Amino acid sequence: MRIVIVGGVAAGMSAASRARRFDPDAQVTVFERSANISYGACGLPYVIGGDVPGFEHLIARTPGQMREQGVDVHLRHEVTGVDAAARTVTVFDRDAGRTLTEPYDRLLIATGVRAVRPEWARTGLAGVHVLRDLPDGRAIEASVAGAKRACIIGGGYIGLELAEALRSRGLDVTLLEKGPEVAGRMLDPAHQQRVRAELERHGVEVRCGTTVEGLAGKDGHVTGVQTNGGLVPAEVVIVAVGVKPNVELAQAAGVRLGRTGAIAVNARQETHVEGVYAAGDNTESLHRVTEQPVHIPLGLTANRMGRVAGVNMAGGDARFPGVVGTGIFKVFGLGAARTGVTQAEADGLGMEGVSVDVDSTDHAGYYPDAAPIHVRLTGERGSGRLLGAQLLGQPGSVKRVDVVAALLHGQGSVQDLFELDLAYAPPFSSVWDVLLVAADRLGRELCEEG
Amino acid sequence: MRIVIVGGVAAGMSAASRARRFDPDAQVTVFERSANISYGACGLPYVIGGDVPGFEHLIARTPGQMREQGVDVHLRHEVTGVDAAARTVTVFDRDAGRTLTEPYDRLLIATGVRAVRPEWARTGLAGVHVLRDLPDGRAIEASVAGAKRACIIGGGYIGLELAEALRSRGLDVTLLEKGPEVAGRMLDPAHQQRVRAELERHGVEVRCGTTVEGLAGKDGHVTGVQTNGGLVPAEVVIVAVGVKPNVELAQAAGVRLGRTGAIAVNARQETHVEGVYAAGDNTESLHRVTEQPVHIPLGLTANRMGRVAGVNMAGGDARFPGVVGTGIFKVFGLGAARTGVTQAEADGLGMEGVSVDVDSTDHAGYYPDAAPIHVRLTGERGSGRLLGAQLLGQPGSVKRVDVVAALLHGQGSVQDLFELDLAYAPPFSSVWDVLLVAADRLGRELCEEG
């Protein structure tokens, strides 16, 4: 069995490991366009911010370690074409400058996403960055040294995490957001405001409703961002306006994309072209709450898809279970987590969502260091089904969003949540954990309105 | 509707509030033997240890507040008899010194538990305590002032929490445990050892396999504990060898006890005597994993039972959902949590349990302050059903036991746990949260052995 994997980061390397583990006789070859494999891309902002002392700490496995596992890793090898009928790929060896043809029995396309670069960002000015991979991280690191002012464009996960990181490095940071608030795709409006307030409390200047018109530069280096509200001076500009799945290779292979624009697969990570699999940030997954395909590129999902693809390519039968829309991030002292759908998302999907907001403390109020925690819980009118939760609080307290994620996985109800036997002692929670209080209140709301 | 409630702490006060809320016309009377209602008994060790600045902080609601809600609270009123046929209770007013008879339509017995005092503890010596209620807490507080050495007998929740508390107050603390290890009823042996190691690291002397033979005293004050291993000198002795449900009143009413020795009820908290309900620490509950009645007196369970009883007594229809055996505690810098059944409990019940042990970090290893977390996950051979989990780690990290509790509630499988879309970002967890790693490993173990 000849397995070829295109892309050597999360999904690709998980697939390679799993395939070899499942079938030690499988011949597994990985082609990675860049010079790096298997690193924790989610950690990049924390190296830039100085929490993690160097990019090398993000490396999970080296090519040498993978080779010891029997995985044949080729760095700086770009797969440029696929002949799905002949079951071959065309590979450009960037160092040798030559093209080779490699046969496969099973092919995995794990090409990830790229950062969106709007037309105005393509100026060639130094100091303008996106953050997607290790070289991007190193380039930002180099730009930050000696810089005084940074401008971040986009208030999503990456923009928010970088705002904290660059502020921690002592820069003046302005965050520009086109929409009415930051974190617009992650949280409902009231919670977005709390995230912005936390940024502002730590000296980040946040300008929402701001459209970028262009970049200003001098001597080949960026000097500022031209907006509908005037010029924002900055020597470092981060463009964090979203990502796009890398689907060109898949399309060349005749693979079908889904409505989200990412690659459509079944639960075995098979595309509709025989022998061709897809996994990772370039691939859709099924949302278990909405039962719709979604494109939510996140680390755990990519790793899990890779595992499933690896097992299946090696002759096994694994299934990707879908996602429930869980996400988590932190800005300074505030942790924010979500799972399922927000009220806004439920509205957009025509679901009959009802939400309650509960403020409590993360453990017994009388025990030291009790800190505020806010929960918005959303359920479905009529069915009583749980739809989602949003939590804001100290970073240590919001991981309890996982309890709701666990129930959403099995299409649990608001009543199910209320009935849970959650862990209680004063240093850990209130007698009635804030999740239980929210479930109780939402349950009554659903009854009265139902 | 005349509702009489015997006992005014967790279950009793929850029932009173709920009953009034459900039926604002209900006449709700609470008789409490002591001078206090509605306090967080779980917080007592933290006042003694100095984390909480005074016992008054544990009071959730005062009699005055309850009266404002329309609940008629009588302190220092002991219910001494029940005539279930006539539907009356006999009440002794401890201040007035007289006995009255009170009629009821619905009666709730929420009399809680008492601390077990073995024969050898009944000496009348000053300095010897149990910890069950507010007066006990105040008495320990008074004994500790000026004392140098404490001896705690019993290594359960209370003994462990008090070991930390008294050590924090600067006392030399010796903890005696009859069994082979501390935390013997909460955790499996390997985890018990870790708890003991944490106690010892903080200067608590732990002596397991030690039997108490008697107390030594001088001038009416305790001076030490006589054991099979010699005398342990101490001016403060805490007897924390367990609790017993207060069932005498229930028995007087003709109410049936369960096999656990606590009061047997149905899911509506009804005893088998019409019109008589029971709730709280004196009452059994159904364990959803073992499907056996259990007696696990804990705060959340008591409050929840009280709510259910309150609604039902007022004419509603609420059901107690059962428990899954969740518990959590901390000693010094170590948090310990459990849910479901341990391997030892599974063995004892004749269940085909299989356990795996996983060591990881509570968040990404490269992110600052990553601390060890240990998970033991137990599943059932054959069915693949999840049976339980034990977590040890920094206090902030072990509350994720709730994720397993959520799955146990719905009789989830090990595979279900592995498939969860848990929240990941480097400050919060590893890409594969330790629970997912444990589920993966246990899943393979169950397959190979199945």
Side-chain angles (χ1 to χ4, degrees):
Chain A
M1 176 70 67
R2 290 166 305 180
I3 294 171
V4 168
I5 295 172
V6 187
V9 192
M13 293 325 283
S14 294
S17 292
R18 277 292 138 171
R20 282 288 300 181
R21 192 158 172 170
F22 192 88
D23 176 6
D25 297 327
Q27 183 186 318
V28 179
T29 308
V30 176
F31 294 111
E32 166 57 41
R33 186 169 55 173
S34 80
N36 307 288
I37 60 156
S38 191
Y39 58 91
C42 306
L44 292 168
Y46 304 103
V47 182
I48 294 166
D51 287 320
V52 179
F55 290 102
E56 68 278 12
H57 291 271
L58 305 185
I59 306 289
R61 283 168 297 196
T62 62
Q65 287 169 323
M66 292 307 298
R67 285 183 197 119
E68 273 168 36
Q69 277 186 47
V71 175
D72 191 22
V73 177
H74 299 270
L75 299 181
R76 294 182 53 75
H77 278 65
E78 183 165 4
V79 175
T80 53
V82 183
D83 183 337
R87 299 213 176 190
T88 58
V89 291
T90 317
V91 188
F92 178 63
D93 177 342
R94 294 168 69 183
D95 291 325
R98 67 197 162 104
T99 295
L100 39 124
T101 299
E102 181 85 11
Y104 68 81
D105 297 310
R106 302 274 187 275
L107 175 69
L108 176 65
I109 300 178
T111 45
V113 291
R114 58 173 167 271
V116 171
R117 289 177 193 258
E119 188 58 41
W120 52 256
R122 299 180 206 152
T123 56
L125 289 171
V128 181
H129 304 279
V130 296
L131 178 59
R132 183 64 216 144
D133 56 21
L134 268 179
D136 293 337
R138 293 204 169 97
I140 293 173
E141 173 83 6
S143 271
V144 163
K148 290 216 170 72
R149 291 166 303 186
C151 182
I152 295 168
I153 302 159
Y157 288 122
I158 305 228
L160 293 169
E161 288 170 353
L162 277 178
E164 178 184 350
L166 297 183
R167 193 79 192 109
S168 302
R169 292 289 298 271
L171 276 71
D172 287 341
V173 176
T174 305
L175 179 67
L176 307 181
E177 167 58 45
K178 189 173 62 176
E181 267 299 353
V182 297
R185 292 183 58 189
M186 284 104 83
L187 303 171
D188 278 331
H191 304 73
Q192 297 163 12
Q193 286 163 26
R194 292 185 191 221
V195 172
R196 176 164 52 83
E198 182 70 7
L199 290 165
E200 290 173 343
R201 194 173 302 129
H202 288 83
V204 175
E205 190 183 338
V206 181
R207 297 195 197 166
C208 295
T210 300
T211 312
V212 173
E213 295 168 350
L215 300 178
K218 197 183 161 187
D219 302 334
H221 200 288
V222 73
T223 55
V225 178
Q226 204 61 257
T227 77
N228 60 340
L231 182 78
V232 179
E235 303 91 57
V236 179
V237 172
I238 314 275
V239 181
V241 296
V243 294
K244 258 186 78 167
N246 292 322
V247 294
E248 292 73 7
L249 191 69
Q251 287 180 301
V255 163
R256 197 177 291 157
L257 305 185
R259 263 180 302 161
T260 68
I263 300 169
V265 291
N266 63 17
R268 285 174 44 88
Q269 300 300 135
E270 292 166 335
T271 70
H272 85 292
V273 175
E274 222 191 304
V276 181
Y277 296 71
D281 287 355
N282 60 0
T283 303
E284 288 187 347
S285 52
L286 183 75
H287 196 301
R288 292 175 75 105
V289 177
T290 66
E291 295 175 329
Q292 302 287 321
V294 290
H295 179 231
I296 308 176
L298 288 173
L300 173 59
T301 302
N303 275 275
R304 199 193 292 274
M305 284 181 173
R307 273 177 69 116
V308 170
V311 169
N312 291 334
M313 290 191 297
D317 186 24
R319 311 272 159 160
F320 184 78
V323 299
V324 297
T326 312
I328 195 164
F329 65 97
K330 119 179 166 64
V331 276
F332 301 102
L334 183 70
R338 57 155 292 164
T339 189
V341 296
T342 61
Q343 179 67 47
E345 287 167 353
D347 293 346
L349 289 159
M351 301 174 100
E352 292 255 34
V354 178
S355 294
V356 295
D357 289 280
V358 173
D359 283 290
S360 182
T361 51
D362 50 12
H363 56 251
Y366 58 75
Y367 190 83
D369 303 322
I373 183 167
H374 177 88
V375 170
R376 162 166 281 209
L377 193 68
T378 306
E380 190 173 54
R381 188 175 284 141
S383 72
R385 188 162 68 105
L386 205 53
L387 292 182
Q390 297 161 68
L391 278 74
L392 288 174
Q394 286 200 128
S397 70
V398 296
K399 181 95 163 87
R400 66 185 82 179
V401 74
D402 286 345
V403 174
V404 180
L407 287 182
L408 290 175
H409 186 82
Q411 305 241 330
S413 69
V414 175
Q415 179 68 17
D416 288 331
L417 177 57
F418 178 63
E419 292 185 348
L420 295 184
D421 184 15
L422 300 184
Y424 162 63
F428 299 96
S429 111
S430 306
V431 180
W432 293 97
D433 187 285
V434 61
L435 292 177
L436 301 178
V437 175
D440 182 32
R441 206 166 298 170
L442 181 55
R444 277 183 279 135
E445 197 82 17
L446 289 170
C447 282
E448 282 160 22
E449 301 205 352
Chain B
M1 175 70 66
R2 290 167 308 180
I3 294 171
V4 167
I5 295 171
V6 186
V9 191
M13 293 325 282
S14 293
S17 291
R18 277 294 138 168
R20 281 288 300 180
R21 192 158 171 172
F22 193 88
D23 176 6
D25 297 327
Q27 184 186 315
V28 179
T29 307
V30 176
F31 294 112
E32 166 56 41
R33 184 168 58 171
S34 79
N36 307 288
I37 59 156
S38 191
Y39 59 92
C42 306
L44 292 168
Y46 304 102
V47 181
I48 294 166
D51 287 320
V52 179
F55 290 103
E56 69 278 12
H57 292 271
L58 304 185
I59 306 288
R61 284 168 297 197
T62 63
Q65 287 169 324
M66 292 308 297
R67 286 182 196 118
E68 273 168 35
Q69 278 186 48
V71 175
D72 192 22
V73 178
H74 299 270
L75 300 180
R76 295 181 53 76
H77 278 64
E78 183 165 5
V79 176
T80 53
V82 183
D83 183 337
R87 299 215 176 189
T88 59
V89 292
T90 318
V91 188
F92 178 63
D93 177 342
R94 294 170 69 184
D95 291 324
R98 67 197 162 103
T99 295
L100 40 123
T101 299
E102 181 85 11
Y104 68 81
D105 298 309
R106 303 274 186 276
L107 175 68
L108 176 65
I109 300 178
T111 45
V113 291
R114 59 171 168 269
V116 171
R117 289 177 193 259
E119 189 59 41
W120 53 255
R122 300 180 206 153
T123 56
L125 288 170
V128 181
H129 304 278
V130 297
L131 178 60
R132 182 64 216 144
D133 57 21
L134 267 178
D136 292 336
R138 292 205 170 94
I140 293 174
E141 173 82 7
S143 270
V144 163
K148 291 217 169 70
R149 291 167 303 188
C151 181
I152 296 169
I153 303 159
Y157 288 122
I158 305 231
L160 293 169
E161 288 170 352
L162 277 177
E164 178 183 349
L166 297 183
R167 192 78 192 110
S168 303
R169 291 290 297 272
L171 276 72
D172 288 340
V173 176
T174 305
L175 179 66
L176 307 181
E177 166 59 43
K178 187 173 62 176
E181 267 299 352
V182 297
R185 293 183 58 189
M186 284 104 84
L187 303 171
D188 278 331
H191 304 72
Q192 297 164 9
Q193 285 163 25
R194 293 187 191 221
V195 172
R196 175 164 52 82
E198 181 71 6
L199 290 165
E200 290 172 342
R201 193 172 305 130
H202 288 83
V204 175
E205 189 182 339
V206 182
R207 299 196 197 166
C208 295
T210 301
T211 311
V212 173
E213 293 167 351
L215 299 178
K218 196 182 163 190
D219 302 334
H221 199 290
V222 72
T223 55
V225 179
Q226 203 63 255
T227 76
N228 60 341
L231 182 80
V232 179
E235 303 91 56
V236 179
V237 173
I238 314 276
V239 181
V241 297
V243 294
K244 258 186 78 164
N246 291 321
V247 294
E248 292 73 7
L249 191 69
Q251 287 179 303
V255 163
R256 195 178 293 158
L257 305 185
R259 264 181 300 162
T260 67
I263 300 169
V265 291
N266 63 17
R268 285 173 45 86
Q269 299 300 134
E270 292 166 335
T271 69
H272 85 291
V273 175
E274 221 190 304
V276 181
Y277 295 70
D281 287 355
N282 59 0
T283 304
E284 287 188 347
S285 52
L286 183 74
H287 196 301
R288 293 176 74 104
V289 176
T290 66
E291 294 175 329
Q292 301 287 322
V294 290
H295 179 229
I296 309 175
L298 288 173
L300 174 59
T301 302
N303 276 274
R304 200 193 292 274
M305 284 181 173
R307 272 178 70 115
V308 169
V311 168
N312 291 335
M313 289 191 296
D317 186 24
R319 310 273 159 159
F320 185 77
V323 300
V324 297
T326 311
I328 193 164
F329 65 97
K330 118 179 167 64
V331 276
F332 301 101
L334 182 70
R338 58 156 290 165
T339 190
V341 295
T342 62
Q343 179 68 47
E345 288 167 354
D347 293 346
L349 289 161
M351 301 173 101
E352 292 255 36
V354 178
S355 294
V356 295
D357 289 281
V358 173
D359 283 291
S360 182
T361 52
D362 50 11
H363 56 250
Y366 57 75
Y367 190 84
D369 303 322
I373 185 167
H374 177 88
V375 171
R376 161 166 280 209
L377 194 68
T378 305
E380 189 172 55
R381 189 174 284 141
S383 72
R385 189 161 68 104
L386 205 52
L387 292 182
Q390 296 163 69
L391 277 73
L392 289 174
Q394 287 201 125
S397 71
V398 297
K399 182 92 164 87
R400 67 185 83 179
V401 73
D402 286 346
V403 174
V404 180
L407 288 183
L408 290 176
H409 186 83
Q411 306 240 328
S413 68
V414 175
Q415 179 67 16
D416 288 331
L417 177 57
F418 177 63
E419 291 185 347
L420 294 184
D421 184 15
L422 300 184
Y424 162 62
F428 299 95
S429 114
S430 306
V431 179
W432 294 98
D433 187 286
V434 60
L435 292 177
L436 301 178
V437 175
D440 183 31
R441 207 166 298 170
L442 181 56
R444 276 182 279 136
E445 198 82 18
L446 288 170
C447 281
E448 282 158 23
E449 301 206 352

